């Protein structure tokens, strides 16, 4: 895509989602060159259509002033998801260049409660567009900047969670099939504003998966929460805030509690003379 071509600009203007799918295949430097050659108001819609990780990598290659201006032009929910993926140093540097109102609004979206799913989640999540083919999905996975987990989450053009597919299933599927046709629509997401407590630990998704997707109120996929992270967060926060004890025990602790109860019962039987040796 030639940054200087009027045809490229018109294509981006008319078809931002299709343009985003093309740019996600390119390097961050190439995309940044295109961004620098086009007006920010045009690029805002384009980068909002890109998957967050690809968008974050591209923005980090730009000049700070241009990157900050681009974040202002984007919808707040989109800029927040991208901003969350920046390293802390980049967040601080760009934050000083944003208008005061934008900083305030962004902070409001980024801050979840101390005892919330959003505060514990990992914003880096393996997500893929529902319209792409299995072959294209495999090519994208090979270019991931982080190890691919066993679960791949499928989103629509607005990044709303649509389903999940296991990596193993993807690899043996017909390469011409679209992800929307082979995904499991029962993704069992968690809501970002959900508080840590017994209801969260009793979520049915934990019965089959060790990690679950995290969504905003409009079903936008914004992260992933591992069960181990949930337990770590509960143990840390228990030192600061009183929590209900129901469901706080990990599976390991529950196992040892059961073993302790079993041994206690056995010792009681021995003491009562109900169990004899050598008989």
């Amino acid at each position: 895509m030639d940054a200087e071509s009027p045809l490229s600009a018109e294509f981006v203007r008319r078809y931002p989602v299709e343009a985003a799918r093309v740019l996600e295949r390119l390097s961050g430097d190439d995309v940044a060159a295109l961004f620098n050659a086009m007006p920010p108001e045009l690029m805002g819609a384009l980068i909002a259509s890109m998957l967050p990780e690809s968008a974050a990598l591209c923005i980090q290659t730009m000049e700070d002033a241009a990157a900050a201006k681009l974040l202002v032009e984007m919808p707040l929910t989109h800029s927040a998801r991208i901003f969350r993926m920046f390293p802390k140093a980049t967040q601080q540097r760009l934050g000083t260049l944003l208008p005061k109102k934008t900083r305030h609004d962004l902070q409001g979206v980024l801050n979840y409660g101390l005892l919330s799913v959003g505060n514990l989640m990992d914003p880096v999540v393996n997500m893929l567009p529902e319209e792409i083919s299995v072959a294209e999905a495999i090519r994208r996975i090979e270019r991931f900047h982080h190890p691919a987990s066993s679960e791949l989450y499928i989103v629509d053009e607005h990044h709303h969670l649509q389903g999940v597919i296991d990596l193993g299933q993807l690899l043996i599927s017909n390469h011409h099939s679209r992800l929307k046709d082979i995904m499991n629509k029962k993704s069992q997401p968690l809501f970002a504003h959900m508080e840590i407590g017994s209801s969260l630990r009793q979520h049915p998704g934990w019965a089959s998966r060790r990690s679950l997707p995290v969504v905003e109120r409009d079903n936008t996929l914004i992260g992933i929460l591992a069960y181990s992270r949930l337990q770590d967060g509960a143990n840390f926060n228990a030192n600061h805030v009183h929590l209900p004890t129901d469901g706080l025990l990990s599976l390991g602790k529950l196992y040892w509690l059961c073993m302790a109860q079993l041994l206690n019962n056995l010792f009681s039987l021995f003491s009562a003379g109900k169990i004899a040796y050598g008989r």
Side-chain angles (χ1 to χ4, degrees):
M1 188 178 292
D2 183 2
E4 301 297 332
S5 171
L7 184 59
S8 295
E10 187 62 21
F11 179 73
V12 171
R13 188 185 307 277
R14 287 175 175 265
Y15 308 104
V17 175
E18 290 78 1
R21 298 291 83 81
V22 173
L23 296 182
E24 286 166 353
R25 305 175 187 176
L26 305 179
S27 70
D29 290 337
D30 289 338
V31 178
L34 176 66
F35 287 176
N36 289 327
M38 289 188 173
E41 61 272 15
L42 179 60
M43 303 318 303
L46 171 58
I47 202 164
S49 298
M50 294 178 68
L51 296 182
E53 187 176 14
S54 298
L57 290 171
C58 293
I59 291 179
Q60 288 182 78
T61 66
M62 302 174 65
E63 295 287 339
D64 285 352
K69 192 172 183 180
L70 184 57
L71 289 171
V72 173
E73 294 293 337
M74 295 173 59
L76 183 61
T77 53
H78 290 77
S79 59
R81 284 189 302 134
I82 294 171
F83 197 85
R84 189 181 286 114
M85 304 188 77
F86 293 151
K88 292 296 183 184
T90 303
Q91 290 181 358
Q92 294 173 357
R93 197 172 65 248
L94 292 179
T96 61
L97 299 175
L98 295 174
K100 184 177 180 179
K101 184 181 184 305
T102 302
R103 282 201 310 272
H104 179 269
D105 293 343
L106 200 57
Q107 198 65 28
V109 175
L110 290 172
N111 285 344
Y112 293 100
L114 178 63
L115 301 181
S116 70
V117 169
N119 190 47
L120 291 179
M121 71 177 183
D122 182 352
V124 178
V125 52
N126 296 314
M127 66 173 74
L128 294 166
E130 63 178 353
E131 294 293 341
I132 66 173
S133 68
V134 170
E136 173 61 18
I138 294 173
R139 285 193 290 268
R140 285 174 178 248
I141 292 170
E142 292 173 346
R143 297 196 299 271
F144 276 178
H145 294 272
H146 56 274
S149 64
S150 59
E151 293 93 11
L152 302 164
Y153 296 100
I154 314 304
V155 296
D156 64 13
E157 63 183 60
H158 302 295
H159 304 162
H160 296 157
L161 179 63
Q162 299 300 304
V164 60
I165 183 171
D166 292 330
L167 180 58
Q169 179 189 350
L170 179 74
L171 295 176
I172 62 174
S173 296
N174 186 312
H175 282 203
H176 299 290
S177 298
R178 292 186 300 174
L179 299 188
K180 65 183 298 183
D181 297 326
I182 62 172
M183 67 183 181
N184 180 359
K185 295 182 180 180
K186 297 180 179 179
S187 53
Q188 298 180 304
L190 304 173
F191 292 101
H193 296 275
M194 182 186 296
E195 292 190 352
I196 300 171
S198 59
S199 61
L200 179 57
R201 286 166 183 76
Q202 293 166 7
H203 191 283
W206 300 125
S208 57
R209 299 187 183 276
R210 304 308 293 170
S211 296
L212 293 175
V214 180
V215 299
E216 268 290 0
R217 293 185 177 93
D218 64 352
N219 201 39
T220 298
L221 180 60
I222 60 172
I224 189 171
L225 179 64
Y227 188 79
S228 59
R229 181 75 179 99
L230 174 62
Q231 292 302 104
D232 291 342
N235 293 335
F236 173 80
N237 289 319
N239 296 326
H240 299 80
V241 181
H242 175 70
L243 291 175
T245 56
D246 293 343
L248 289 181
L249 296 173
S250 66
L251 295 177
K253 290 182 180 178
L254 184 60
Y255 168 80
W256 287 113
L257 277 179
C258 292
M259 288 298 295
Q261 185 62 47
L262 176 61
L263 291 173
N264 183 61
N265 292 340
L266 288 174
F267 286 137
S268 297
L269 291 174
F270 279 127
S271 301
K274 295 182 180 179
I275 296 180
Y277 289 98
R279 292 184 182 179

